[in-house]
Structure formats: structure tokens, C-alpha cells
Amino acid sequence: MSAPRDDGATPGGAVPPPTGSHATDPPGEAKRHAWWRPELGLSLVVLVLGVLVIVGTLDVAAATSALGLGPRFFPMLVGGSLVLIGVFYTLDVLRGGRGDPEESEDIDADAPADWRSVGLVSGIFLAFTALLSTLGWIIAASLLFFGLSVVLGAGSKPRAAVIAVVLGVLSYVAFVKGLGVTLPGGLLQGVI
């Protein structure tokens, strides 16, 4: 009498058929599922996005700031980070890594998508791009930050408005004075 085996094989040496989500797939489907999964698609999107950011940044020509950082520094940093993350994520997926299923207590996976919020956020970004050169960075960015905070559920609208204006001014000063990037002044051109 032979002792039971731990490797899942039967005493005759045959391995039982696989169990799980892909056990009932047609023969060709199991091989396709082995390498193509949604995680791989996401990792490739991150990788391509990083490459596009780097390629787009190469066209930027401007002087460096007093700190030695020019307008290319942060986009290159972000693009390089995206490429690294995309490469490591792709390698992980190809080696069998899987994304963990959503287990947050605040999320209902069966709830329908909130298309109203998606539409409002998209509309706010489109309005920002349309009004940027006319209103200028400070006003347009303040409206962008305020609109996004309200759509995404800000508790106090006056506080959200104050924070939006502060962020608009600080981001303008950081980019224009700190990095030497030219942003549109718009209606405040002679003031700031």
C-alpha cells in the first residue's frame, strides 16, 4: 500500500484536471488566459503612457530656472516613473502576478457607474482648457479646483473656494517663479 501523495497526483502518477475559473475553458482558451489578462492590458497602457510623456517632453524648449531645473524636469520624472512602473508591472503579470479583487467595505462592486460625475468632471476639464488662455492660469485653475472639489463631494463650498484660489495662486507662483515656465496671465496679466 502506497502512502498518500502531497503533490496532487493520483497514485498512478496522473495529475488531476485543473480546477478553478479556467478549468471549463476550451483547449485553446486556457493558453490564451495564461498570458493575456486585464492586468497586462493596464500595465501596457502605463508603459505606453510613460513613453508618450517622455517623447512629448522632448519637444519642450525653455531655459532652466535658478535651481537648474527646467520645464522638462518634472514631466521627464513622471514619464520615467511611469515607464519603470509599467515595465515592472508587465514583468510581474507575465510571471503570474494577479491584481487582488476589490475588498473595500466602502465600494459596492455591483453598483452602476456614476456617469453623472464622470460627465461633470470631463466637462470641467474641457471648460478649463477652453478658458485657460482667456482667463489665465490663476482664475481658470481656481475654477477647476473648485469645480472638481464640489463635484467630488466637498463638504463646505466656501472653504473649497478658498483652498481652490490658494492652490491656483501657489501653483502659478511655483511654475512661473520657481521653474521659469510661462503660464497664461489672462485677466490678471498686469497684476501678477
Side-chain angles (χ1 to χ4, degrees):
M1 183 178 258
S2 63
R5 297 178 58 162
D6 292 343
D7 62 1
T10 60
V15 177
T19 58
S21 62
H22 302 300
T24 58
D25 289 342
E29 289 293 310
K31 184 179 267 187
R32 185 176 69 90
H33 286 298
W35 68 274
W36 183 254
R37 297 191 314 266
E39 293 94 342
L40 183 61
L42 178 62
S43 68
L44 293 175
V45 166
V46 170
L47 181 61
V48 168
L49 185 61
V51 169
L52 290 175
V53 168
I54 290 172
V55 169
T57 303
L58 294 176
D59 289 339
V60 174
T64 59
S65 69
L67 300 173
L69 303 176
R72 289 184 180 184
F73 177 74
F74 286 108
M76 286 296 239
L77 182 67
V78 170
S81 299
L82 285 171
V83 167
L84 282 175
I85 290 169
V87 166
F88 286 126
Y89 190 25
T90 302
L91 290 174
D92 178 57
V93 171
L94 291 175
R95 290 181 178 169
R98 288 190 166 275
D100 293 330
E102 187 62 54
E103 295 179 7
S104 174
E105 61 189 44
D106 294 338
I107 295 175
D108 180 10
D110 297 326
D114 184 7
W115 291 110
R116 179 183 175 273
S117 294
V118 171
L120 286 172
V121 167
S122 301
I124 290 169
F125 275 108
L126 289 173
F128 169 74
T129 58
L131 298 173
L132 179 60
S133 35
T134 305
L135 298 178
W137 176 266
I138 293 175
I139 296 173
S142 297
L143 291 172
L144 169 75
F145 298 144
F146 176 72
L148 290 176
S149 65
V150 169
V151 167
L152 298 175
S156 169
K157 289 180 184 171
R159 183 177 65 189
V162 169
I163 292 171
V165 170
V166 168
L167 286 174
V169 171
L170 288 179
S171 61
Y172 183 85
V173 170
F175 279 99
V176 172
K177 305 296 184 193
L179 295 174
V181 176
T182 304
L183 293 177
L187 300 176
L188 300 176
Q189 184 66 40
V191 178
I192 195 159

